[in-house]
Amino acid sequence: MEQAKQYASSTEQIDLSTIRSRNVPDVPEDVDFMMEHLNDPNYDLHKSRPPSFESVEKGPKKAYDTDGDSHYDSDRYSTSRAESRNSTALDFDDESPYPEVRAAVASIDDPTMPVNTFRMWFLGILFSLITSGFNQIFALRYPSIYITGVVAQLLSLPLGHGLAAILPTKQFRTFGYVWSLNPGPFTIKEHVCITVMANVVWGGAYSTEVILTQRVFYGQSTPMSYQILLALGSQIIGFALGGLLRQFVVWPSSMIWPGALVNSALFNTLHKNYGKRDRGHMSRGKFFCIAMACSFIWYWVPGYIFTGLSMFNWICWIAPNNIVVNALFGTNTGLGMSILTFDWTQVAFIGSPLITPWWSQMNTGIAFIIMFWFIAPVLYFTNVWNAAYFPISSYVTFDNTGNLYQAQEIITNGIFDEVKYKAYSPVFLSTTLALAYGIAFAAFPSVFVHTFLWFRKDIMRRFRSSLRDERDVHSRLMQVYAEVPAWWYGLVGAIAFAFFCIAIEIFPTQMPIWAAVVGIVLSSILAIPLAMLQAITNQQVPTQVMMELIGGYMLPGKPIANVIFKTIAFITSNQAISFAGDLKLGHYMKIPPRIMFMIQVVPSIIACIWVTVIQDWMLSNVEDICSPDQSQGFRCPGSTTFYTASVIWGAVGPRRLFSPGAPYSSLLWFFPVGILAPIPFYFLARRFPLSFYRYINIPVFFAGLAAMPPASGINYASWVLAGFIFNYLIRRFHFRWWMRYNYILSAALDAGVAFGMVIVFFGLGLPKPSTGGVQLNWWGNLVWQNTADAAGIPFKPLPDVGFVGPTTWS
């Protein structure tokens, strides 16, 4: 069949007799439209056909009303306007069927808008260095603070306009290419590229945790060549995999990526009608500024003045020494049944509740109540796993005397020492940590089963699809740009893999290359289902525990090899999903794909080298770094946990913890639960397609609990409550307000808190590091600290023999 041309003049004559009516869904007649969209819970099946088709029937009437907000007016891009559809006009939808996308993404594009400019690269690399370097330094400090992409997003706007005002406009010719330092006004696409460059590097390089563990805790000397090769090899290979995910999670309109929608809404708000006033309602820009200012001011109350409002375990204030009350209602080592918190950092601890779809939040909320407010107390107070001798909720491990497990007591020259282990203690887990491991065991297989049941046909179809096969307006607009060939991503992945293999071979890591291959294969298999789940639900499925478990069985007694295996197996898929999310943002904002390729890979390479050098300098020059009493607060809490995991999974090993006959072997029952649980709900959803069964997502049910511990009930309960208010009540009864302001409010709350944390930290936290900074020592800041919850007092005291558990172990 001759391929239809992509574009045609909007003024060319079209023979209407040859064009079928769009009063029916644009799908083959033998396809059941409802069944075809059953696996997309963000799609409203109660409507017999997509909103874009309904709008055609109703003529010029708007599919939704935005009161004159021209960036998102559906009639501006409706099918009745031929000039808005450059071509085979009736082959594409003019608006997304998803209100979330319509609320945040403009359905127009200007392909001539400058993108690849000097100021974009200058500001992008500058913010990449600042955010990654700053976060690398303060990741080792407690308390800590991070600069996220939203800070770069806000600060780069005035800087971009400033450069547009002062840079010379003279044009240069280089190898036939004409360019200028200042091609005109600062554009939204330049702004997007700068933010993406900061986004891809703000988390640094995961391999720095491996290096720190080797140097500080295992006393190994690591050459700089090894450090840089390990960083580049492990961090960049995920980028290659992310590019290969495009046809599965970037091009399809059903992959909405709620996180990308927030950024898109903020970009459009910051640039829309710059310097002008909206009529009829408050502009998004003004709303953003007001909400951000309120968020900034309010943060000082729970974040500094009255911290009891943040850790709002008010019932524990009434009975501070009642252990049962503190175990249930506490927020430090308790289950957080106090429900509320007034601190946005606590509400959004597991992600902004304004972004995540309500049906996804319900899965997580119900799972939390069942697992941690019903099952966990029963297990704890009946002393299952001897857990009643420790706090009910803790992310650290314990020895048989109730103290923190000292991993160095069972290690000799970086290798597990069984004699020392028998002389010291077995490992004990808190109730919530043990349940969290079990939940991770269930989440892992449920991802595969759920994906096979719901998406197997889509995945097979998309193996043969291209961007041209997509029918939404954003895919149509992106077809004007040249796509990135798959071999570009493959070449980057091959080079990164070579770097990784060289790194583990030139240094005695105990890690064979075949294990690296296994880790990459596992990541590649997981990448598509994990990315699809995050794109639809805004929920991440953590895989660290499973990778540690697999590595523990593959490479027993080798803690360094275990953490390196976890690094390559976890970060490859994690980075791939992160990169795919940024690619979706570029898709929404109409960034040329080849520019996106460059602004992702170049900052990633620079940041890998930059953060590695910074950490190397800190480990060599900061006195007593990572020690509990470090005077400047550089105690490395996250790295200490990383090291402890290396001992538990790599040294002690899962065989001594989870294999049949081991203390926590009962948790293995979560594996069959994860395999079987998705099946009945799939068939119930197909039998009753308009029922709630369609919204039951077992991977989200389990994976949404990944923040427990250290999260507590106030985080989850407040998160679900805020989601209910905004993503259910307001979305249902005040839809126009939700469309206009919901995502802007989320970005504003995050931005205000970020700036508030920076000022509180640097203005009041650093002046007196030896005393913990400038603090307000009054009742409101001390009441939540003077409780059994804060002290971590367990339900049972130590037995008379002075230790918990068996007298011998192996």
Side-chain angles (χ1 to χ4, degrees), residues 122-175:
F122 174 76
L123 290 177
I125 293 177
L126 176 65
F127 277 105
S128 296
L129 294 173
I130 292 174
T131 55
S132 62
F134 180 95
N135 291 342
Q136 181 61 45
I137 292 172
F138 284 92
L140 305 182
R141 192 183 189 278
Y142 181 82
S144 186
I145 188 172
Y146 294 93
I147 296 179
T148 60
V150 70
V151 177
Q153 188 174 9
L154 295 175
L155 294 181
S156 60
L157 181 61
L159 292 177
H161 283 295
L163 289 179
I166 64 175
L167 286 176
T169 58
K170 180 181 178 180
Q171 292 187 337
F172 302 91
R173 181 178 295 273
T174 305
F175 301 112

Side-chain angles (χ1 to χ4, degrees), residues 176-190:
Y177 177 73
V178 179
W179 62 281
S180 172
L181 293 174
N182 190 352
F186 184 63
T187 69
I188 188 172
K189 293 190 179 183
E190 291 176 283

